[in-house]
Amino acid sequence: MKQNNLYVFVAASLALLVPIPGRLAFGIIMLVFLNVTMLLGTLFRKLICVLKLGNLQSVLVAMMLVCTATMAKLVLSLFCPIYALVLGFALYLPALSSFLIGYFFDPSREKLSVELAENMSQSLRFSLAAFLLFLLRDIFGYGTITLPAKDSLFTIQIPFGTSFMQAGDFVASIPGTLVLVGLLIVFQNHITRKFRIAENVMENAQKTEEQPAKKAEEEKK
């Protein structure tokens, strides 16, 4: 993970993961909104580039994200008012996180397919990490696995002891979430570094294999 990407991941994590109740059902809803907003934001940014309105990009993208978040809250209010009431202002947080992850403040320079692939891959990687965090908070903080349902939460109860549940209260709290986010970021950064090292080793090995062939061609000439 690049250094600037790491800062963006930290900011997006703190914005989206900490304020939301530690239930998997709420996390799933927020992550769906995040990916939909990322998709619409990427398309809208390319439209701004096509219309040559780059000088107004920050304002237009901000307006689009606010409108998207407002529409998402309206749709959720119509289908499940309880979720909209519980999440409240937090429904606007996916717009903020998508703005950070998708670099919507930068002008569009690549092809639409390239930008969609890059932004959606980053959004899905973030969503996978966030899903894991919400799942851990739900299991160890409440002893349940919850899923979205029509009128309430679909709850799968996990039989834990009372002493374990008391220790798990820390996981469901805001300080516990901050600790989990920190561990998750460290783990992801470590894995990314390992992949980058492996890629560099493969590139160096390929260059080493190509050098004798180049020397042979030069000698022939």
Side-chain angles (χ1 to χ4, degrees):
M1 184 183 295
K2 297 180 180 178
Q3 194 69 15
N4 57 340
N5 288 348
L6 177 61
Y7 294 148
V8 167
F9 187 86
V10 172
S13 300
L14 294 178
L16 183 62
L17 303 181
V18 175
I20 300 173
R23 294 286 192 173
L24 180 61
F26 297 137
I28 291 174
I29 293 172
M30 300 297 281
L31 294 177
V32 170
F33 285 171
L34 171 66
N35 286 278
V36 171
T37 305
M38 178 68 75
L39 175 62
L40 295 178
T42 305
L43 296 175
F44 188 74
R45 187 176 67 163
K46 178 57 68 174
L47 177 62
I48 291 175
C49 179
V50 172
L51 298 178
K52 297 180 179 180
L53 298 174
N55 56 331
L56 299 174
Q57 177 170 323
S58 299
V59 177
L60 293 175
V61 169
M63 292 176 60
M64 186 278 300
L65 292 176
V66 171
C67 291
T68 302
T70 304
M71 290 299 298
K73 185 173 184 179
L74 178 61
V75 171
L76 189 61
S77 299
L78 292 175
F79 286 94
C80 192
I82 297 178
Y83 289 176
L85 178 63
V86 172
L87 292 173
F89 183 77
L91 288 170
Y92 293 94
L93 296 178
L96 175 60
S97 295
S98 65
F99 183 83
L100 294 171
I101 298 173
Y103 292 97
F104 290 154
F105 44 79
D106 291 341
S108 177
R109 296 186 179 92
E110 303 290 343
K111 293 181 179 180
L112 179 59
S113 59
V114 175
E115 290 188 356
L116 278 175
E118 181 178 355
N119 285 348
M120 294 310 299
S121 64
Q122 289 200 44
S123 180
L124 290 174
R125 285 199 299 269
F126 177 84
S127 299
L128 180 60
F131 180 88
L132 178 62
L133 181 69
F134 281 115
L135 181 61
L136 292 176
R137 291 180 68 191
D138 204 351
I139 292 176
F140 295 103
Y142 300 95
T144 59
I145 297 177
T146 55
L147 298 173
K150 174 64 177 176
D151 297 322
S152 61
L153 300 177
F154 177 77
T155 304
I156 302 174
Q157 195 71 35
I158 300 177
F160 284 147
T162 306
S163 59
F164 185 88
M165 288 300 300
Q166 290 176 352
D169 289 341
F170 176 75
V171 178
S173 65
I174 291 179
T177 305
L178 290 173
V179 172
L180 288 177
V181 169
L183 293 175
L184 192 62
I185 291 172
V186 170
F187 176 75
Q188 183 173 4
N189 192 27
H190 177 73
I191 295 298
T192 305
R193 285 181 178 179
K194 293 296 183 182
F195 276 110
R196 189 181 299 118
I197 292 173
E199 290 177 357
N200 292 335
V201 170
M202 293 178 63
E203 289 178 0
N204 293 333
Q206 186 176 3
K207 290 179 181 179
T208 304
E209 293 176 356
E210 292 176 352
Q211 284 178 356
K214 289 181 179 179
K215 289 182 179 180
E217 291 179 0
E218 291 177 355
E219 292 176 355
K220 289 180 180 180
K221 292 180 180 179

